[in-house]
Amino acid sequence: MTPNENSPVGPDQELSSECSAQAASAAPLEPVQTTTSRRDFLKGGGMLSLSSLVGAGALMAQTDDAQAAIEWAEHFQGNYRLMTPQEKAEARARLERRYSAEYGKKVTVDGTEAKDGVLMGYALNIRKCIGCRRCVKACVAENNQSRGPNPGERIEWIQVLRMERGEFSKEKMDHGYPEGLGIQVGGNAYTPAGQVLEGQYHYEPKAVPEKDATYMPIACMQCEKPPCVKVCPVRTTYREADGPVVIDYNWCIGCRMCMGACPYWARRINLTSPILPKEEMNPVTHYLGNRPRMRGVVEKCHWCLQRTRQGRYPACVEVCPVGARKFGNLLDPESEVSLILARKNVFRLKADLNTFPKFFYFYD
Amino acid sequence: MKKIAFHTLILAFCCGMISSAASAEDVTCFESRKGASEVTQRELKPGWPNVKCSPKTGAVLWWGDPFDGTVPMGEMPLLDKTAAAKAVVKPRSEKLNILPMCGTACHNGVGPKFMPPTLPKDKNPKPIPTMEGLLPDAKNLQHGRGRIWCLDCHHTTQRNKLVDNFGNPVSFDQPQLLCGKCHGDKLRDWRDGIHGKRIGEWASTGKKRWFVCTECHNPHNVQDGARNRGFIQIEPETPPQLPHGMKDAKYELLHGVSQH
């Protein structure tokens, strides 16, 4: 079935053999025509790969068609982590050209590397959070997520879980939850304290905080031993030297292994083509950060790499109206996060999984 | 046919008028809590707004320039580690509507009828209809639950100032010097960046805009029975999409969860 064996291509054209393998993905459709003989089929396959080669050659030769040339080169670039500095710069310049044309404004794709002596850390005051979701929306405003109206088109990296406080009352002593199964969860029957059901983060009261609820925002924990990195078959997601776990979106194959491996529900996939209005697009981007993603790749929180590498707080830290979110350098004993670790009661979510998050929850 | 074209032209013209009117209208949104510090949306440079606002709640979601409209915070005890220019605040006095009047119109130290002018004899609470009319919060003073009153925080003779432990005036731009009198633990945490909010550069030596106490807390109404935290209740942003196949948020509560 591999078209290379069948195609009448000389060795001089081997340069683009990889391309023909890609383009001939339509070949499996051919055997459906049961009447065709093997010869016809081979001929068909050969013609197909030949035509794809011609197309590829045309694409490569057509330097005036900038858009096509950019996408062509982008398609065959390597894993960002393995690129030389020059290749990285070229890849970023390609993307800048493409995004600027696509969004009608000057888009910059930054490639600032990790600084020595920096290990980013995050702390969140779980007692202060009022569940207003401003962090969720600020993240979307900063990080160019898809924001369409249809299912799967709206991507948000931060989830704010609502947990019932629960109460103990004599009248409810005999009640069980869920009804009929006799399993009691959380604090009490019918008031499952601390239990998170899928629907519970869709709360929509007039005002928060509600009297009977506490809130727990979760996003990527930027683990020191990230399960998502362990499972990635193409090694496109990896831990940067200053802490955050990042994704090279161009190298991602969309297999979603990482989504299954992540115990914190932090990763999202672009099942549809992302909907990102031109006027809302944030033109200051980072290659491993908030640059616009394509369909079929996984994305997640990266602690606003385009901001934090330039010294600025992440967007969610800045927007939090109650100041529950803190960010800083774990190696600096004077940083906010280090002081919190030294003074406050701190825990990590699902610490028993030995993922060693750099995201700490604390309370006064 | 001509008539239709004419009407279309009129309609298009009207639409143009409306859209231009809407674009000319200023978008004002609030930073931390409503009524504390409002910001008007504008462009710092083409395509780069000073703030992005939430279409649902009108809250600021994003700052284009975190130091827009700020001034150095000034002297702050035990803050010698931070260089003066690295800590900036937005002046509060500009946002307090009746503050310019306080020291001049009524509590100016002179007046025909007041001997001594507007100076109370003691600090005991008594109704002041004028103040309650000007400042509705004064009628429902929650702070201290009846144990403190106006002159515990406001200066006796200089009403456009607050007061510290020694009776010296404190600027409205530095409410932390007043609040820290009682809330010392919070002041310490605020100084170190653990309590409260800062925007700007995250490095401990970086330049930051600090939010002062009264930008987030209403000092007259810090404790309200209807809420269970120090911060006022606010409207939340829109919830996320429901997971695929889930009809409403209550689904699991009504149908039970599979225990696998």
Side-chain angles (χ1 to χ4, degrees):
Chain A
M1 280 299 292
T2 51
N4 283 333
E5 293 164 19
N6 313 326
S7 60
V9 185
D12 55 322
Q13 278 173 297
E14 287 219 328
L15 179 72
S16 34
S17 66
E18 200 181 346
C19 131
S20 62
Q22 291 268 344
S25 56
L29 286 173
E30 304 264 329
V32 178
Q33 305 164 342
T34 44
T35 49
T36 50
S37 68
R38 181 181 151 79
R39 183 179 295 269
D40 285 344
F41 168 63
L42 287 179
K43 203 193 274 174
M47 288 304 285
L48 187 70
S49 56
L50 183 67
S51 63
S52 66
L53 270 179
V54 170
L59 270 175
M60 292 185 95
Q62 242 178 10
T63 44
D64 56 325
D65 190 352
Q67 188 77 6
I70 288 163
E71 278 165 13
W72 176 257
E74 208 180 305
H75 199 67
F76 283 99
Q77 75 187 34
N79 187 330
Y80 189 72
R81 193 164 37 155
L82 303 178
M83 286 185 202
T84 63
Q86 198 203 339
E87 282 170 341
K88 284 182 181 178
E90 280 168 9
R92 288 200 306 274
R94 271 199 300 273
L95 286 171
E96 279 180 358
R97 280 202 300 278
R98 178 158 72 84
Y99 293 146
S100 298
E102 200 172 329
Y103 295 98
K105 53 182 158 188
K106 178 88 192 87
V107 178
T108 56
V109 180
D110 184 27
T112 311
E113 304 276 337
K115 249 192 224 125
D116 278 347
V118 173
L119 183 64
M120 294 178 187
Y122 206 117
L124 192 148
N125 193 337
I126 196 71
R127 206 185 67 78
K128 289 239 165 68
C129 177
I130 58 170
C132 68
R133 293 204 193 95
R134 272 191 216 173
C135 50
V136 180
K137 304 297 168 187
C139 176
V140 172
E142 170 72 21
N143 285 310
N144 292 329
Q145 284 100 325
S146 173
R147 56 202 74 172
N150 300 322
E153 281 179 357
R154 204 160 105 212
I155 290 180
E156 289 167 354
W157 291 347
I158 303 174
Q159 278 174 300
V160 184
L161 308 181
R162 177 186 183 273
M163 297 182 177
E164 304 250 344
R165 275 179 195 271
E167 58 171 28
F168 295 91
S169 65
K170 216 169 183 182
E171 301 83 64
K172 291 178 180 174
M173 283 276 284
D174 300 331
H175 290 208
Y177 172 81
E179 200 72 63
L181 295 176
I183 301 161
Q184 295 211 357
V185 286
N188 190 282
Y190 284 104
T191 49
Q195 172 84 353
V196 183
L197 301 176
E198 192 84 65
Q200 265 185 282
Y201 44 84
H202 298 269
Y203 59 90
E204 210 175 357
K206 279 207 174 61
V208 287
E210 298 152 280
K211 196 114 187 88
D212 56 348
T214 53
Y215 304 91
M216 178 146 186
I218 54 170
C220 178
M221 302 283 160
Q222 318 292 1
C223 309
E224 283 293 277
K225 288 169 74 178
C228 53
V229 169
K230 288 182 197 170
V231 299
C232 180
V234 291
R235 298 194 179 182
T236 189
T237 184
Y238 55 96
R239 179 191 174 280
E240 282 276 284
D242 54 357
V245 174
V246 296
I247 305 165
D248 174 6
Y249 309 111
N250 275 63
W251 200 249
C252 176
I253 57 171
C255 70
R256 287 178 272 173
M257 293 278 280
C258 52
M259 291 175 74
C262 176
Y264 304 105
W265 317 325
R267 288 173 168 259
R268 308 280 181 273
I269 183 154
N270 287 286
L271 269 180
T272 59
S273 292
I275 310 285
L276 177 59
K278 282 179 185 178
E279 64 276 14
E280 287 179 30
M281 190 255 173
N282 179 9
V284 177
T285 71
H286 191 284
Y287 185 94
L288 299 167
N290 66 337
R291 67 187 172 96
R293 276 76 63 183
M294 49 294 243
R295 181 179 173 173
V297 300
V298 169
E299 60 183 66
K300 69 164 190 72
C301 164
H302 43 77
W303 282 348
C304 287
L305 221 58
Q306 68 283 356
R307 293 163 71 109
T308 48
R309 286 268 167 90
Q310 306 297 333
R312 180 102 181 260
Y313 277 118
C316 51
V317 173
E318 289 202 345
V319 80
C320 182
V322 294
R325 291 173 169 270
K326 300 292 164 194
F327 182 84
N329 184 359
L330 288 167
L331 304 180
D332 174 6
E334 293 298 318
S335 74
E336 290 160 20
V337 174
S338 298
L339 290 171
I340 286 164
L341 291 180
R343 275 188 216 165
K344 300 290 179 185
N345 301 315
V346 173
F347 70 93
R348 289 161 150 172
L349 190 58
K350 300 188 187 177
D352 48 328
L353 296 178
N354 285 346
T355 51
F356 300 98
K358 290 188 290 300
F359 193 106
F360 301 90
Y361 292 92
F362 73 103
Y363 46 99
D364 287 324
Chain B
M1 201 62 202
K2 243 182 195 172
K3 206 172 183 182
I4 291 170
F6 180 69
H7 281 197
T8 317
L9 197 70
I10 293 281
L11 195 68
F13 183 67
C14 289
C15 286
M17 288 285 282
I18 289 163
S19 63
S20 65
S23 66
E25 208 173 278
D26 284 339
V27 179
T28 305
C29 23
F30 62 97
E31 285 191 319
S32 193
R33 63 180 169 93
K34 241 178 203 159
S37 57
E38 261 66 13
V39 197
T40 307
Q41 205 170 24
R42 64 193 163 84
E43 288 209 330
L44 295 173
K45 57 189 181 203
W48 193 258
N50 63 337
V51 287
K52 286 183 189 171
C53 304
S54 160
K56 192 191 177 208
T57 61
V60 172
L61 292 181
W62 185 92
W63 281 268
D65 175 14
F67 310 122
D68 191 30
T70 56
V71 297
M73 184 160 67
E75 249 177 69
M76 165 82 188
L78 300 173
L79 203 72
D80 38 13
K81 269 183 265 178
T82 311
K86 294 288 173 94
V88 295
V89 292
K90 253 192 189 173
R92 290 293 298 139
S93 32
E94 293 168 9
K95 306 283 180 188
L96 304 170
N97 291 330
I98 61 168
L99 186 69
M101 285 191 279
C102 296
T104 53
C106 308
H107 304 285
N108 53 4
V110 293
K113 284 189 198 163
F114 307 110
M115 277 308 284
T118 66
L119 206 64
K121 290 190 180 66
D122 53 45
K123 290 163 93 177
N124 282 327
K126 54 181 86 63
I128 322 167
T130 325
M131 274 320 295
E132 284 169 9
L134 275 171
L135 192 76
D137 286 347
K139 209 187 303 183
N140 185 27
L141 180 69
Q142 301 271 345
H143 200 159
R145 306 208 182 223
R147 304 300 297 171
I148 60 169
W149 206 53
C150 307
L151 297 184
D152 287 308
C153 300
H154 294 272
H155 200 272
T156 317
T157 53
Q158 303 175 40
R159 287 303 162 73
N160 47 5
K161 297 276 192 227
L162 301 167
V163 66
D164 73 357
N165 266 335
F166 308 115
N168 298 324
V170 167
S171 163
F172 269 87
D173 297 337
Q174 291 181 308
Q176 65 272 15
L177 299 179
L178 163 71
C179 304
K181 279 160 61 175
C182 300
H183 307 284
D185 57 335
K186 291 287 174 288
L187 178 71
R188 205 158 47 243
D189 276 355
W190 180 79
R191 181 195 69 202
D192 294 334
I194 299 173
H195 181 101
K197 169 170 172 162
R198 296 167 173 188
I199 63 176
E201 296 166 6
W202 55 261
S204 56
T205 52
K207 184 181 177 185
K208 296 173 170 63
R209 174 187 161 196
W210 299 42
F211 281 65
V212 296
C213 315
T214 52
E215 274 178 271
C216 304
H217 303 285
N218 179 347
H220 300 123
N221 187 16
V222 277
Q223 301 170 326
D224 191 353
R227 81 177 97 114
N228 49 18
R229 289 170 178 83
F231 197 78
I232 198 165
Q233 279 189 305
I234 56 174
E235 188 189 1
E237 302 290 337
T238 47
Q241 281 181 329
L242 279 167
H244 187 67
M246 200 163 156
K247 288 182 189 72
D248 58 76
K250 287 253 185 285
Y251 187 82
E252 284 162 303
L253 280 172
L254 299 172
H255 295 84
V257 195
S258 63
Q259 308 278 322
H260 46 86

